[in-house]
Amino acid sequence: MICTFLRAIQYTEKLHRSPAKRLLLPHLVLNKACLKTEPSLRWGLQYQKKTVRPRCVLGVTQKALWTQGPSSRKAKEDSSKQVSVHRSQREGTAVSTAQKVKEAGRDFTYLIVVLFGITITGGLFYTIFKELFSSSSPSKIYGRALEKCRSHPEVIGVFGEPLKGYGEATRRGRRQHISFIEYVKDGLEHMRVKFYIEGSEPGKQGTVHAEVKENPKSGEYDFRYVFVEIESYPRRTIIVEDNRPQDD
Amino acid sequence: MEEYAREPCPWRIVDDCGGAFTMGVIGGGVFQAIKGFRNAPVGIRHRLRGSANAVRIRAPQIGGSFAVWGGLFSTIDCGLVRLRGKEDPWNSITSGALTGAVLAARSGPLAMMGSAMMGGILLALIEGVGILLTRYTAQQFRNAPPFLEDPSQLPPKDGTPPPGYPSYQQYH
């Protein structure tokens, strides 16, 4: 029973250390051939670097070997731990200062890299939030102007429902970029936006121009004008909204 | 604009799928070549053979998963464009989130939400980069904006009808 227990332990040890199947086969052969051979047991305990020469007789000797195994292992570990403690105590200060400087330098470089990455990511997030959520971004103004066009009966009459809007064609056909100009006049911010619309009527395309002005009291952007230019000959202009008389 | 007489949208899906596959194959090929090289036994012939083997086996798989991601993303994007009727950055972010969610569907709802958030955040970052690049490269070409008059398509404020020729303005 002890032999089978030993055999099982050796198998698992070998499995851990050498996953290749080829190594297991000679071991199995050896063990099956004769359990009491020295080489197999020595191979099993080889990592302790102890040349044990047992007379492998079932019973007492094997038990003694097995009990010796873990204790000798522990002794080896303790001795190695003691050696390392001694070593660190002796050369302690010199090694650790140099080590400390190196590690501090490495940590500092890592910190710089991390901060750089966070800054860039934060900048990107800020840009995209401003674009999507701030009411002064061209995308929002384009959205509002498109809604106004969609609810204007003349535009619907010319283009047909549903109306769809898009901006400038960027690489590979995506048309998300809305062209715009920002300028400051009389201390107030103005922005002009230009985009295209198309409806269900085939072949009819329109260009929408819109301008917003900053309202000094509320900080919101109000429309100054919105008009649609139809790409046909002669060019036709539909004025959706004109608030310029309210300028002065 | 006139060359693209047809809508970019349905054809964009094929375009994106193929582009993603190519990216996956090339990128995956490079990484697997290095990995196969390092994990092979010592000896240059073994290493080269290991590297070629790793590329042969893994690179098409990586390309395939990239293609699935790209194709699904583009399909959802085109679907959203058709649904909402306008093209803006929200479409990309939502598409990224939905793609992430769909591809993690086998692992249960919690994994789907995590994957959706990752996809959405990734695409928000990509959109942010795109927006920054477009704005700053366009600003390089822009001079100081001239004092802009009202466009001539509009009637002047006192109400006379507009003339026929549009004014040429500098948009970016």
Side-chain angles (χ1 to χ4, degrees):
Chain A
M1 206 166 105
I2 298 171
C3 313
T4 47
F5 181 63
L6 263 177
R7 214 194 312 174
I9 303 258
Q10 283 174 6
Y11 279 9
T12 49
E13 281 170 356
K14 281 185 190 154
L15 273 171
H16 282 308
R17 263 176 292 124
S18 55
K21 285 192 187 147
R22 292 175 292 179
L23 288 176
L24 276 177
L25 283 174
H27 167 70
L28 281 169
V29 165
L30 266 176
N31 251 353
K32 278 203 183 123
C34 74
L35 173 69
K36 303 166 188 175
T37 51
E38 293 180 4
S40 61
L41 276 172
R42 197 188 306 166
W43 202 91
L45 303 169
Q46 209 174 17
Y47 60 91
Q48 298 186 12
K49 295 196 174 122
K50 240 175 88 162
T51 54
V52 177
R53 291 182 177 278
R55 279 283 130 210
C56 292
V57 178
L58 262 170
V60 179
T61 327
Q62 284 181 338
K63 211 197 284 185
L65 267 176
W66 183 244
T67 50
Q68 267 182 9
S71 63
S72 67
R73 205 188 319 157
K74 220 195 295 177
K76 194 90 194 299
E77 279 176 3
D78 285 339
S79 60
S80 62
K81 270 190 212 151
Q82 285 175 347
V83 167
S84 61
V85 163
H86 280 308
R87 200 181 301 147
S88 69
Q89 277 178 355
R90 240 180 293 133
E91 314 162 18
T93 44
V95 169
S96 63
T97 321
Q99 288 278 344
K100 265 194 221 166
V101 169
K102 255 201 292 187
E103 276 182 28
R106 209 182 315 141
D107 289 345
F108 186 64
T109 348
Y110 288 168
L111 185 69
I112 297 283
V113 169
V114 163
L115 281 180
F116 185 65
I118 290 181
T119 318
I120 299 242
T121 313
L124 288 176
F125 273 128
Y126 173 70
T127 308
I128 194 71
F129 278 168
K130 206 166 71 128
E131 177 73 17
L132 291 178
F133 294 112
S134 148
S135 62
S136 63
S137 72
S139 288
K140 281 277 173 169
I141 294 170
Y142 149 64
R144 285 163 64 193
L146 189 63
E147 286 305 308
K148 283 189 195 285
C149 293
R150 275 181 176 158
S151 51
H152 197 255
E154 201 179 340
V155 173
I156 298 173
V158 171
F159 289 98
E161 290 205 291
L163 206 64
K164 65 177 185 168
Y166 51 92
E168 305 299 323
T170 55
R171 32 130 202 155
R172 58 183 185 89
R174 303 179 75 211
R175 304 185 285 196
Q176 285 179 2
H177 180 241
I178 308 293
S179 63
F180 67 100
I181 306 181
E182 273 181 299
Y183 62 97
V184 180
K185 186 171 158 188
D186 303 332
L188 294 174
E189 297 231 352
H190 296 240
M191 188 189 300
R192 286 194 193 177
V193 162
K194 176 176 83 148
F195 58 95
Y196 309 99
I197 55 173
E198 241 180 58
S200 49
E201 293 273 333
K204 283 214 183 279
Q205 285 183 342
T207 308
V208 179
H209 298 255
E211 176 168 345
V212 289
K213 192 172 79 163
E214 184 189 355
N215 191 334
K217 290 188 284 286
S218 67
E220 289 278 316
Y221 278 61
D222 302 320
F223 278 99
R224 266 191 82 211
Y225 58 78
V226 180
F227 67 90
V228 183
E229 239 187 312
I230 306 177
E231 311 271 335
S232 60
Y233 190 76
R235 286 178 177 264
R236 213 182 111 190
T237 308
I238 303 174
I239 299 177
V240 172
E241 192 177 317
D242 193 356
N243 299 326
R244 285 174 309 147
Q246 298 158 15
D247 269 356
D248 316 315
Chain B
M1 270 273 285
E2 271 67 65
E3 304 129 34
Y4 297 96
R6 1 173 245 209
E7 287 294 311
C9 220
W11 287 267
R12 208 160 85 192
I13 301 175
V14 178
D15 209 1
D16 283 352
C17 199
F21 179 76
T22 313
M23 258 190 351
V25 162
I26 292 180
V30 167
F31 274 105
Q32 289 298 319
I34 297 177
K35 197 165 153 193
F37 191 86
R38 290 182 60 203
N39 288 348
V42 180
I44 192 70
R45 287 186 60 194
H46 288 292
R47 288 206 192 267
L48 286 179
R49 206 184 313 150
S51 163
N53 218 23
V55 170
R56 180 177 62 91
I57 290 176
R58 282 289 294 161
Q61 292 175 358
I62 297 178
S65 32
F66 267 65
V68 161
W69 210 98
L72 193 61
F73 168 75
S74 206
T75 311
I76 299 181
D77 198 29
C78 280
L80 279 177
V81 162
R82 205 168 159 90
L83 205 70
R84 293 177 74 209
K86 65 184 206 179
E87 306 205 14
D88 65 358
W90 271 121
N91 291 346
S92 301
I93 297 176
T94 320
S95 313
L98 285 176
T99 309
V102 165
L103 287 177
R106 278 195 193 170
S107 322
L110 201 61
M112 278 174 76
M113 279 180 50
S115 194
M117 271 176 47
M118 269 179 47
I121 290 180
L122 180 71
L123 265 136
L125 288 176
I126 295 179
E127 283 296 312
V129 169
I131 290 173
L132 277 178
L133 275 179
T134 326
R135 300 257 167 102
Y136 285 116
T137 51
Q139 264 186 9
Q140 284 177 6
F141 295 108
R142 193 165 57 122
N143 313 329
F147 185 71
L148 291 171
E149 310 272 339
D150 283 343
S152 52
Q153 290 98 328
L154 287 175
K157 284 189 191 175
D158 56 5
T160 56
Y165 297 104
S167 62
Y168 293 101
Q169 303 180 12
Q170 263 185 330
Y171 281 95
H172 69 101

XYZ file of all heavy atoms in Angstrom, chain A residues 176-211:
293
model
N -19.774 62.210 -41.531
C -20.159 62.767 -40.242
C -19.686 64.173 -40.022
O -20.153 64.848 -39.130
C -19.561 61.929 -39.126
C -20.264 60.637 -38.944
C -19.620 59.871 -37.855
O -18.674 60.345 -37.243
N -20.099 58.691 -37.605
N -18.715 64.618 -40.789
C -18.123 65.916 -40.469
C -18.998 67.022 -41.022
O -19.300 67.046 -42.204
C -16.717 65.991 -41.060
C -16.061 67.288 -40.773
N -15.662 68.155 -41.750
C -15.773 67.881 -39.595
C -15.136 69.222 -41.186
N -15.186 69.077 -39.887
N -19.399 67.930 -40.167
C -20.224 69.059 -40.574
C -19.291 70.243 -40.745
O -18.525 70.568 -39.834
C -21.263 69.384 -39.481
C -22.027 68.133 -39.101
C -22.171 70.474 -39.919
C -22.885 67.603 -40.185
N -19.361 70.908 -41.888
C -18.467 72.045 -42.087
C -19.060 73.266 -41.393
O -20.263 73.511 -41.443
C -18.264 72.307 -43.567
O -19.480 72.655 -44.161
N -18.206 74.000 -40.749
C -18.697 75.155 -40.004
C -17.618 76.229 -39.943
O -16.440 75.956 -40.158
C -19.107 74.748 -38.587
C -17.966 74.328 -37.726
C -17.412 75.203 -36.799
C -17.446 73.051 -37.814
C -16.365 74.817 -36.003
C -16.402 72.657 -37.018
C -15.854 73.544 -36.110
N -18.044 77.464 -39.683
C -17.109 78.575 -39.442
C -17.541 79.253 -38.159
O -18.733 79.461 -37.933
C -17.174 79.647 -40.542
C -16.973 79.044 -41.907
C -16.134 80.705 -40.319
C -17.013 80.101 -42.969
N -16.563 79.602 -37.362
C -16.878 80.368 -36.148
C -16.256 81.737 -36.284
O -15.105 81.840 -36.702
C -16.245 79.695 -34.937
C -17.091 78.631 -34.332
C -16.414 78.043 -33.131
O -15.317 77.493 -33.294
O -16.960 78.162 -32.039
N -16.988 82.744 -35.914
C -16.347 84.055 -35.876
C -16.988 84.885 -34.786
O -18.068 84.557 -34.296
C -16.427 84.761 -37.232
C -17.823 85.049 -37.723
C -18.414 86.296 -37.536
C -18.549 84.077 -38.401
C -19.687 86.551 -37.992
C -19.813 84.337 -38.863
C -20.378 85.580 -38.660
O -21.648 85.818 -39.112
N -16.318 85.942 -34.437
C -16.803 86.810 -33.365
C -17.159 88.166 -33.958
O -16.378 88.752 -34.693
C -15.724 86.989 -32.276
C -16.244 87.877 -31.178
C -15.318 85.652 -31.724
N -18.356 88.599 -33.680
C -18.778 89.894 -34.217
C -19.485 90.644 -33.092
O -20.387 90.106 -32.463
C -19.753 89.658 -35.380
C -20.147 90.901 -36.113
C -20.931 90.517 -37.358
C -21.790 91.691 -37.803
N -22.695 91.327 -38.865
N -19.062 91.871 -32.877
C -19.635 92.698 -31.796
C -19.533 91.990 -30.454
O -20.429 92.091 -29.632
C -21.121 93.027 -32.062
C -21.323 93.731 -33.379
O -20.373 94.419 -33.806
O -22.409 93.574 -33.968
N -18.448 91.252 -30.273
C -18.248 90.598 -28.988
C -19.090 89.349 -28.776
O -19.019 88.735 -27.722
N -19.895 88.980 -29.757
C -20.703 87.775 -29.598
C -20.216 86.724 -30.588
O -19.784 87.034 -31.687
C -22.178 88.069 -29.879
C -22.845 89.008 -28.887
C -24.237 89.323 -29.372
C -22.896 88.389 -27.511
N -20.328 85.459 -30.178
C -19.884 84.365 -31.042
C -20.960 84.021 -32.049
O -22.118 83.873 -31.698
C -19.610 83.126 -30.201
C -18.512 83.306 -29.216
C -17.502 82.178 -29.344
O -17.793 81.220 -30.091
O -16.461 82.270 -28.716
N -20.531 83.907 -33.292
C -21.439 83.423 -34.326
C -20.866 82.137 -34.900
O -19.664 81.939 -34.901
C -21.544 84.440 -35.464
C -22.140 85.739 -35.059
N -23.280 86.244 -35.624
C -21.760 86.667 -34.146
C -23.563 87.419 -35.088
N -22.652 87.693 -34.193
N -21.748 81.295 -35.387
C -21.243 80.095 -36.051
C -22.120 79.812 -37.258
O -23.346 79.882 -37.155
C -21.272 78.904 -35.100
C -20.590 77.698 -35.692
S -20.815 76.210 -34.753
C -20.124 76.658 -33.225
N -21.472 79.489 -38.352
C -22.233 79.121 -39.545
C -21.999 77.655 -39.826
O -20.874 77.172 -39.762
C -21.752 79.923 -40.747
C -22.216 81.316 -40.660
C -22.058 82.030 -41.946
N -22.239 83.450 -41.672
C -22.117 84.394 -42.549
N -21.800 84.083 -43.786
N -22.310 85.661 -42.206
N -23.075 76.997 -40.208
C -23.029 75.556 -40.408
C -23.601 75.268 -41.787
O -24.570 75.910 -42.202
C -23.851 74.854 -39.317
C -24.187 73.451 -39.697
C -23.100 74.871 -38.008
N -23.012 74.290 -42.462
C -23.517 73.937 -43.791
C -23.609 72.423 -43.853
O -22.643 71.723 -43.533
C -22.547 74.455 -44.859
C -22.935 74.056 -46.264
C -21.993 74.674 -47.252
C -20.753 73.837 -47.369
N -20.169 73.878 -48.713
N -24.759 71.925 -44.261
C -24.875 70.481 -44.448
C -25.851 70.227 -45.577
O -26.413 71.160 -46.142
C -25.291 69.774 -43.161
C -26.590 70.233 -42.578
C -27.770 69.564 -42.865
C -26.650 71.327 -41.736
C -28.967 69.983 -42.320
C -27.841 71.749 -41.191
C -29.007 71.073 -41.494
N -26.027 68.952 -45.898
C -26.828 68.577 -47.064
C -28.030 67.780 -46.622
O -27.976 67.051 -45.641
C -25.976 67.738 -48.026
C -24.672 68.389 -48.346
C -23.526 68.019 -47.694
C -24.600 69.427 -49.281
C -22.328 68.627 -47.970
C -23.410 70.039 -49.557
C -22.274 69.637 -48.895
O -21.089 70.257 -49.157
N -29.099 67.929 -47.357
C -30.261 67.109 -47.047
C -30.757 66.436 -48.311
O -30.511 66.887 -49.428
C -31.422 67.911 -46.410
C -31.823 69.079 -47.295
C -31.093 68.351 -45.018
C -33.061 69.777 -46.800
N -31.456 65.342 -48.074
C -32.038 64.589 -49.179
C -33.342 64.013 -48.687
O -33.471 63.677 -47.514
C -31.118 63.430 -49.547
C -30.585 63.481 -50.949
C -29.702 62.307 -51.217
O -30.179 61.174 -51.083
O -28.524 62.534 -51.535
N -34.278 63.906 -49.588
C -35.555 63.343 -49.152
C -35.879 62.115 -49.952
O -35.004 61.483 -50.551
N -37.148 61.753 -49.975
C -37.513 60.555 -50.715
C -37.713 60.844 -52.190
O -37.785 59.930 -52.993
C -38.777 59.941 -50.115
O -39.752 60.946 -49.958
N -37.794 62.117 -52.567
C -37.862 62.453 -53.992
C -36.505 62.161 -54.606
O -35.487 62.660 -54.137
C -38.161 63.947 -54.173
C -39.525 64.368 -53.711
C -40.571 64.198 -54.795
O -40.185 64.259 -55.981
O -41.737 63.981 -54.459
N -36.448 61.355 -55.654
C -35.124 60.988 -56.190
C -34.484 62.169 -56.902
O -35.167 62.962 -57.552
C -35.456 59.855 -57.173
C -36.877 60.084 -57.553
C -37.555 60.720 -56.383
N -33.184 62.291 -56.755
C -32.439 63.287 -57.515
C -32.456 64.676 -56.943
O -31.792 65.560 -57.463
N -33.198 64.903 -55.877
C -33.234 66.256 -55.337
C -32.312 66.326 -54.126
O -32.524 65.610 -53.147
C -34.654 66.621 -54.905
C -35.555 66.971 -56.054
C -36.522 68.043 -55.623
C -37.513 68.397 -56.698
N -37.089 69.281 -57.704
N -31.319 67.199 -54.240
C -30.428 67.389 -53.106
C -30.447 68.843 -52.708
O -30.544 69.713 -53.560
C -29.005 67.013 -53.494
C -28.785 65.542 -53.580
C -27.350 65.266 -53.903
O -26.644 66.146 -54.376
N -26.913 64.064 -53.656
N -30.311 69.076 -51.423
C -30.322 70.458 -50.981
C -29.174 70.739 -50.034
O -28.671 69.835 -49.367
N -28.769 71.985 -49.997
C -27.737 72.415 -49.059
C -28.397 73.342 -48.057
O -29.084 74.284 -48.441
C -26.632 73.185 -49.794
O -26.195 72.400 -50.884
C -25.469 73.467 -48.879
N -28.181 73.077 -46.806
C -28.771 73.909 -45.755
C -27.671 74.765 -45.157
O -26.610 74.276 -44.793
C -29.391 73.042 -44.652
C -29.979 73.912 -43.569
C -30.423 72.117 -45.220
N -27.933 76.054 -45.091
C -27.012 76.958 -44.408
C -27.721 77.480 -43.175
O -28.876 77.901 -43.248
C -26.662 78.147 -45.312
C -25.971 77.756 -46.572
N -24.638 77.954 -46.774
C -26.443 77.180 -47.701
C -24.308 77.517 -47.978
N -25.384 77.042 -48.558
N -27.044 77.468 -42.079
C -27.652 77.973 -40.848
C -26.623 78.804 -40.113
O -25.429 78.531 -40.175
C -28.114 76.819 -39.971
N -27.100 79.830 -39.418
C -26.178 80.595 -38.594
C -26.802 80.783 -37.227
O -27.996 81.048 -37.101
C -25.889 81.967 -39.200
C -25.009 82.801 -38.280
C -24.453 84.038 -38.930
O -24.498 84.118 -40.165
O -23.990 84.917 -38.191
